[in-house]
Amino acid sequence: GFTGDMSSIGAEILFKQNGSTVRTDNVLLDANGNFSVSGIELGTYDINIKVCSQLQKSINGAALSTINPLNIGDITFNGGDFDGNGVVNSKDIEVLSTNWLSYGDL
């Protein structure tokens, strides 16, 4: 996972209903790893969160209402998905070995 200041890390947030993506947001995390989105319609969503080189996390059945903001709590991402295909496999090792010095300390 990530430690330290996370304010330069981007995340892709997908909101899905009935299996279809209804909205995609690209956000920057704040120094503590938090993010927010606005202007989304109230309702229940499956939310997929993808952070660079990490496996996607899903929160199913998240209810957005006017009463309380949605707090999805702490999420631990599993790293290693360097090619962004949703799995960690030999292709990720190939990407990592080709770019070893450019990734730095992950």
Side-chain angles (χ1 to χ4, degrees):
F2 298 105
T3 58
D5 184 355
M6 297 184 231
S7 58
S8 63
I9 298 172
E12 180 181 64
I13 317 299
L14 282 77
F15 295 87
K16 296 183 173 192
Q17 288 180 319
N18 302 318
S20 297
T21 301
V22 296
R23 177 173 166 157
T24 301
D25 285 281
N26 290 298
V27 299
L28 286 177
L29 304 179
D30 70 13
N32 297 313
N34 300 310
F35 67 89
S36 64
V37 295
S38 60
I40 188 164
E41 292 184 34
L42 302 180
T44 301
Y45 297 88
D46 293 333
I47 303 172
N48 296 338
I49 304 168
K50 176 75 172 112
V51 179
C52 178
S53 77
Q54 307 295 304
L55 292 171
Q56 175 176 281
K57 286 291 182 172
S58 297
I59 296 96
N60 295 320
L64 303 182
S65 71
T66 58
I67 299 170
N68 293 310
L70 178 65
N71 181 345
I72 57 176
D74 293 336
I75 297 174
T76 300
F77 289 94
N78 295 318
D81 185 18
F82 296 105
D83 64 353
N85 68 349
V87 295
V88 177
N89 57 21
S90 61
K91 293 289 185 182
D92 297 297
I93 295 170
E94 182 179 321
V95 171
L96 182 59
S97 64
T98 303
N99 298 287
W100 179 254
L101 296 177
S102 65
Y103 276 106
D105 184 15
L106 298 175

